[in-house]
């Protein structure tokens, strides 16, 4: 059985869709804290099991018969390490043949504030003694395209990444990579630095939006604090706004750049282009 945790999330759902193209549905388990959210997956023959990262007993039950587990990182920022440890410990008790974890690009040296929780989780994965794959996912291009409607409405794109080049890829690209690793029998103890084929600056993103909409959309670069305040003003919780502003500030210094193309090599196709991602977001 291949277990995918957080299968109700945006990435988890895409991983399940990719797995369904590679292995029979009855070999796939969607492990979620609210099974009601994934009734559609059960309709497709996927096994749905209850699994909350804070509930070790539920994790043990969810991992029964597991050969491989994908731990998708929690979105509960600041509380993730103990939650992830629970999942890793349950995978160890189930003696799975592969534990894959969605980490962050260049986790060992990343200057992103959110990288600390990923580093601690990677350490726990290694300490588990299990065969593992570390899927060090770069930035989702959707982190930027999700707010393009607002940028078009306001006639400008704001951010804090300056001239930094961002090798973002689509969630669908990272999901395909996870499915390839889970469905295959590739080498273990692997670290994959996963990023988009082509990096862009936020000014280039704004230029692409201008090209596709026919409206001038300039990029306004903001200082880290100023950008965090803007994000709070548009409704983001302060800790999240600060993490995003930190990520942009680090991206300005190259923290989200990678040009090794390991992601497209793994999935056997180019990653989604910036133009395609912008088109998908605007339509
Ligand atoms: N690389 C990037 O650019 C980037 C950007 C954002 C996030 N991330 C990370 O990547 C992860 C996946 O991304 P995403 O877009 O799929 O995020 P998402 O749509 O927010 O999904 C988060 C998932 O985590 C699950 N979850 C949260 N707490 C849990 C718990 N205690 N027990 C079990 N499941 C729990 C949620 O379950 P419910 O459906 O029950 O809420 C949901 O399925 C995120 O959680 C975050 O760690 C990466």
């Amino acid at each position: 059985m291949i277990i995918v945790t957080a299968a109700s999330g945006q990435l988890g759902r895409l991983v399940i869709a990719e797995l369904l193209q590679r292995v029979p549905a009855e070999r796939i388990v969607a492990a979620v804290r609210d099974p009601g959210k994934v009734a559609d997956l059960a309709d497709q023959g996927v096994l749905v099991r209850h699994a909350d990262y804070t509930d070790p007993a539920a994790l043990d039950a969810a991992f029964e018969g597991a050969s491989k587990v994908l731990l998708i990182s929690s979105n509960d920022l600041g509380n993730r390490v103990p939650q992830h440890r629970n999942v890793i410990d349950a995978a160890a008790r189930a003696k799975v043949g592969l534990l894959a974890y969605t980490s962050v690009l260049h986790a060992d040296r990343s200057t992103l504030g959110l990288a600390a929780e990923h580093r601690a989780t990677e350490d726990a994965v290694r300490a588990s003694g299990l065969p593992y794959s570390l899927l060090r996912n770069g930035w989702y291009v959707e982190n930027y395209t999700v707010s393009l409607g607002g940028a078009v409405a306001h006639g400008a794109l704001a951010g804090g990444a300056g001239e930094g080049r961002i090798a973002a890829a689509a969630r669908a690209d990272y999901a395909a990579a996870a499915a390839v690793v889970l469905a295959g029998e590739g080498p273990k103890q692997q670290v994959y630095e996963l990023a988009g084929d082509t990096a862009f600056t936020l000014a280039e993103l704004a230029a692409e939006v201008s090209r596709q909409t026919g409206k001038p959309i300039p990029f306004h670069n903001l200082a880290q604090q100023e950008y965090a305040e803007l994000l709070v003003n548009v409704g983001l919780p302060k800790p999240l706004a600060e993490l995003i502003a930190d990520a942009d500030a680090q991206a300005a210094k190259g923290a989200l750049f990678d040009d090794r193309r390991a992601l497209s090599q793994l999935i056997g196709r180019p990653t989604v282009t910036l133009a395609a991602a912008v088109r998908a977001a605007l339509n």
Side-chain angles (χ1 to χ4, degrees), residues 5-14 31-35 37-38 51-55 59 72-77 79-80 83-84 87 101-105 114 117-118 136-143 168-169 171 174 240 256:
T5 70
S8 55
Q10 298 165 89
L11 182 68
R13 282 187 162 279
L14 292 167
V32 294
R33 62 177 165 179
D34 179 358
K37 278 191 178 176
V38 293
D52 191 312
Y53 292 171
T54 63
D55 183 347
L59 291 165
I72 292 184
S73 53
S74 170
N75 59 3
D76 190 0
L77 300 173
N79 299 313
R80 297 194 285 183
Q83 293 183 6
H84 293 169
V87 178
Y101 170 63
T102 62
S103 185
V104 69
L105 187 66
L114 53 77
E117 288 181 303
H118 289 295
R136 288 183 172 169
N137 291 347
W139 229 220
Y140 301 156
V141 70
E142 290 89 347
N143 295 346
R171 274 193 190 85
Y174 299 114
L240 181 61
L256 296 175

Side-chain angles (χ1 to χ4, degrees), residues 39-215:
D40 57 309
L41 297 181
D43 290 345
Q44 293 173 67
V46 172
L47 280 162
V48 175
R49 292 181 182 168
H50 170 70
D52 191 312
Y53 292 171
T54 63
D55 183 347
L59 291 165
D60 280 340
F63 290 0
E64 216 180 291
S67 54
K68 300 177 184 178
V69 169
L70 172 64
L71 164 54
I72 292 184
S73 53
S74 170
N75 59 3
D76 190 0
L77 300 173
N79 299 313
R80 297 194 285 183
V81 178
Q83 293 183 6
H84 293 169
R85 280 215 185 95
N86 285 340
V87 178
I88 294 162
D89 291 348
R93 287 191 292 274
K95 299 185 173 59
V96 302
L98 179 72
L99 173 61
Y101 170 63
T102 62
S103 185
V104 69
L105 187 66
H106 308 148
D108 49 339
R109 60 183 166 87
S110 177
T111 55
L112 296 175
L114 53 77
E117 288 181 303
H118 289 295
R119 265 192 294 278
T121 303
E122 287 197 357
D123 288 346
V125 168
R126 288 196 188 84
S128 73
L130 291 170
Y132 64 79
S133 282
L134 299 175
L135 303 167
R136 288 183 172 169
N137 291 347
W139 229 220
Y140 301 156
V141 70
E142 290 89 347
N143 295 346
Y144 293 114
T145 58
V146 72
S147 54
L148 288 185
V152 173
H154 289 99
L157 178 81
E163 293 298 304
R165 300 197 75 76
I166 299 161
R171 274 193 190 85
D173 296 324
Y174 299 114
V180 166
V181 166
L182 290 167
E185 292 304 328
K188 307 295 188 306
Q189 321 311 71
Q190 287 292 298
V191 179
Y192 298 95
E193 302 287 1
L194 303 175
D197 286 341
T198 313
F200 56 86
T201 64
L202 294 187
E204 288 167 359
L205 168 61
E208 182 59 30
V209 178
S210 300
R211 193 182 69 77
Q212 290 194 24
T213 58
K215 294 180 187 166

